[in-house]
Amino acid sequence: MNVFDIIGPVMIGPSSSHTAGAVRLGRVVNKLVDNRELGRVEITLSGSFAQTYKGHGTDRALLAGIMGYKSYSPEIRDALDIADKRGIGYSFTKENIKGAHPNTARIHYFLKDGTDGVMQGASIGGGNIMVNSINGMKVEFNGDNNTILVMHEDRPGVIASVTNMMHWGYSDLNISNFRLSRQEKGGDAIMTIEVDNQPPEKLVDDIREIEHVTNAILIRRV
Amino acid sequence: MIKYDSISQLVEKAEHRNIKISELVLEDQAAAMEMTTLQLYEKMQLNFEIMRQSVTEGLKPDQKSMSGLTGGEGYKMSEYACGEGEPLCGRQMSKAIARALAVAGCNAAMGKIVAAPTAGSCGILPGCLVTLYEDRGFQEKDIVMSMFTSGAFGMVIANKASLAGAEGGCQAECGSAAAMAAAALTELMGGTPSQCADACAIAIANQMGLVCDPVGGLVEIPCIKRNVSGLMIAFSAADMALAGISSEIPADECIDAMREVGDALPRTLRETAAGGLATTPTGKKLRDKVFKGED
């Protein structure tokens, strides 16, 4: 903690959990979309998010984050209009997601190239977030650290290939957290790798080259 | 390095070196954050600039919250403060009230604010500091420095108790903001570090037990007006300390008591909108007006 955690952050009101945290959840999707063209998003709100989203501007905040705005961007207020202008479709549905944190959003995004993806995460207070799942696979990261997501086929040796390459190619990188999740044996799997340092963009390209890796995304601090 | 786990330590260190708490904190935080004191100062200066922008934004006559439940309080109060008759609290205090309302209203209207320490209590510090800057001729550099004192007191409260309404009730948000502002005001007026601690202690004592009971769970009713009570307590606590009135209970013990009281508050009075003003017949009616209409 430093003095700017107390006098700060600069943010768009009214609520650190329902507005600022919601922007950060949206920003995770922005990173997942990764500069590809977004067609529409279907956003499911659960718990307190579902009950009070209009009064807190949670809908605008999520959409603003998805479009890449930050928790201090004044554009948050006009995010619905901005999405309309950019031709990004959106819908908000209330649903009680079982066992989820009270401030949970599930964002299903559809890209213009026909592919799609789903992220589920929660705003856990004070602007902090926890991403719970990506494409139906369990993950667990808070966006405070640089996080590398590696989507791959569940085959022996893939983890070793990725971590070895990280070590030999980028010896300064230190992994602070690692998690593997898979849909079924031999099916799609996802590695969540958090690192202490600021990894170069090229690392992601190098990971994508590895056999059985289908995609890799670097989510810098959101 | 300073651990920010007691107010008395801040006072001792500053008095031992015969410097202000703000100077001590700026130096310490620059070392901790591996930045220069100038970089830190400029970062804080930007925060003060945004606070002034939030005041301007919130004083607009058409200012309205997202829910539509509140809006325009800053404008009304400012018109009254600058109107013909002399307000009960005097012009300066009435303008300070208007500024606190303006910033809290700006927050409710999805405007840009500096959380200080939280979004719900964001009007107190700017209400105090912008008033000294605009109406009392204080220099910007002194005001920006005083924000480091505020921040240091806030860090101690965060470490020893809590700044979150969901944990400690409104005393943790508006109470902490009032204590932080009282310390800054005291330093700006030439008070000693121990007088800053007294002002902090008095402010905390005077908000002890305040519950967090937002109507509809929104940061509007009663939050916006509670920023004003926090501001009044900050000014009066600072003036008492400057008059040489000390707090019988030391600041650190007041903060410990605040934590104990916060822990003892029922869940219904900690930001759950399940008690207090939130569940009064009118509170429930207002909630339904905002949230039921859309279903």
Side-chain angles (χ1 to χ4, degrees):
Chain A
M1 179 173 48
N2 66 55
V3 68
F4 296 103
D5 296 320
I6 307 293
I7 313 292
V10 174
M11 58 171 272
I12 298 297
S15 158
S16 55
S17 55
H18 286 65
T19 320
V23 175
R24 294 187 71 218
L25 281 174
R27 283 181 63 76
V28 174
V29 172
N30 177 266
K31 305 282 176 174
L32 293 169
V33 169
D34 193 25
N35 289 323
R36 291 170 297 170
E37 242 188 299
L38 188 61
R40 71 189 162 89
V41 286
E42 290 174 2
I43 299 174
T44 308
L45 301 163
S46 177
S48 168
F49 263 15
Q51 284 158 23
T52 68
Y53 76 95
K54 288 232 159 145
H56 285 119
T58 309
D59 47 352
R60 294 154 197 256
L62 287 165
L63 207 48
I66 293 168
M67 294 190 290
Y69 293 107
K70 298 193 169 163
S71 45
Y72 53 80
S73 308
E75 287 87 352
I76 296 170
R77 222 176 330 184
D78 308 317
L80 303 179
D81 293 336
I82 296 172
D84 288 340
K85 274 187 200 127
R86 287 199 193 171
I88 300 170
Y90 54 84
S91 66
F92 296 93
T93 317
K94 299 180 196 179
E95 183 192 313
N96 186 24
I97 301 173
K98 269 194 186 155
H101 183 280
N103 293 333
T104 292
R106 188 171 61 222
I107 304 173
H108 195 165
Y109 60 93
F110 299 87
L111 302 175
K112 291 204 169 145
D113 64 12
T115 57
D116 68 332
V118 194
M119 185 231 54
Q120 184 178 312
S123 177
I124 57 174
N128 298 305
I129 60 166
M130 184 56 73
V131 180
N132 307 119
S133 78
I134 286 176
N135 298 341
M137 285 172 282
K138 245 184 131 167
V139 295
E140 200 174 276
F141 64 94
N142 58 21
D144 289 343
N145 302 311
N146 295 301
T147 307
I148 305 155
L149 298 175
V150 183
M151 287 76 158
H152 61 103
E153 296 163 35
D154 179 39
R155 299 277 188 96
V158 184
I159 296 172
S161 305
V162 170
T163 50
N164 276 333
M165 191 283 294
M166 284 175 69
H167 179 58
W168 297 119
Y170 303 87
S171 56
D172 290 343
L173 280 186
N174 187 43
I175 296 175
S176 60
N177 195 13
F178 184 99
R179 187 189 175 100
L180 180 83
S181 169
R182 65 178 187 185
Q183 285 178 328
E184 59 191 9
K185 193 178 172 191
D188 288 335
I190 191 165
M191 289 178 223
T192 310
I193 308 171
E194 288 181 66
V195 291
D196 289 328
N197 332 54
Q198 189 76 260
E201 288 289 341
K202 184 158 180 316
L203 168 73
V204 177
D205 296 332
D206 290 348
I207 295 176
R208 284 184 185 141
E209 296 287 309
I210 295 170
E211 209 185 350
H212 306 304
V213 169
T214 46
N215 197 11
I217 299 160
L218 170 61
I219 300 185
R220 294 194 190 276
R221 282 170 216 194
V222 294
Chain B
M1 292 285 164
I2 301 174
K3 282 206 248 142
Y4 298 97
D5 53 6
S6 86
I7 301 287
S8 63
Q9 187 200 35
L10 288 176
V11 172
E12 274 162 33
K13 284 194 175 188
E15 290 190 339
H16 178 69
R17 290 175 55 192
N18 203 19
I19 57 174
K20 292 178 186 169
I21 291 177
S22 56
E23 294 168 309
L24 177 79
V25 173
L26 175 63
E27 192 184 288
D28 172 76
Q29 288 289 286
M33 293 170 72
E34 295 176 359
M35 287 165 77
T36 66
T37 51
L38 181 66
Q39 283 172 318
L40 247 67
Y41 175 86
E42 285 174 345
K43 212 167 138 71
M44 197 60 96
Q45 190 179 31
L46 186 65
N47 280 344
F48 184 53
E49 207 175 296
I50 293 164
M51 284 179 175
R52 292 194 321 260
Q53 289 167 10
S54 322
V55 170
T56 309
E57 192 59 36
L59 285 176
K60 291 182 179 165
D62 55 350
Q63 188 266 345
K64 196 94 198 139
S65 75
M66 282 302 294
S67 70
L69 289 181
T70 56
E73 292 84 0
Y75 175 75
K76 273 187 198 157
M77 191 66 206
S78 150
E79 288 291 291
Y80 170 73
C82 303
E84 276 177 28
E86 166 94 7
L88 270 177
C89 300
R91 283 208 201 285
Q92 180 200 302
M93 277 315 293
S94 301
K95 282 164 85 174
I97 293 171
R99 290 179 181 119
L101 288 170
V103 177
C106 175
N107 180 59
M110 291 194 89
K112 192 193 276 190
I113 55 99
V114 181
T118 60
S121 60
C122 68
I124 296 170
L125 201 56
C128 293
L129 298 182
V130 176
T131 299
L132 262 58
Y133 178 68
E134 302 249 337
D135 299 336
R136 294 290 293 259
F138 278 80
Q139 298 291 309
E140 186 190 30
K141 75 168 181 13
D142 294 325
I143 293 194
V144 172
M145 283 304 292
S146 78
M147 292 164 74
F148 285 96
T149 298
S150 279
F153 278 72
M155 280 195 275
V156 174
I157 299 172
N159 281 329
K160 282 170 74 80
S162 169
L163 300 174
E167 280 171 8
C170 191
Q171 56 166 5
E173 298 212 16
C174 286
S176 300
M180 288 159 53
L185 289 172
T186 306
E187 184 178 293
L188 277 167
M189 290 291 288
T192 63
S194 73
Q195 284 176 320
C196 293
D198 278 323
C200 162
I202 296 168
I204 288 179
N206 287 357
Q207 300 256 55
M208 186 72 68
L210 195 62
V211 301
C212 180
D213 51 354
V215 168
L218 299 172
V219 196
E220 295 188 47
I221 306 169
C223 321
I224 294 174
K225 296 187 189 87
R226 277 197 191 150
N227 273 265
V228 175
S229 58
L231 170 121
M232 301 297 281
I233 284 173
F235 271 104
S236 56
D239 263 342
M240 279 191 260
L242 289 161
I245 301 171
S246 59
S247 170
E248 289 79 10
I249 314 288
D252 287 313
E253 291 183 36
C254 290
I255 298 171
D256 291 337
M258 175 174 137
R259 186 200 178 101
E260 193 193 304
V261 170
D263 288 346
L265 285 179
R267 204 188 65 88
T268 52
L269 300 176
R270 285 189 275 162
E271 215 184 300
T272 51
L277 294 172
T279 49
T280 56
T282 305
K284 288 198 267 193
K285 219 191 298 174
L286 291 171
R287 175 198 66 199
D288 291 347
K289 192 175 144 196
V290 178
F291 298 118
K292 287 261 171 79
E294 72 199 29
D295 276 328

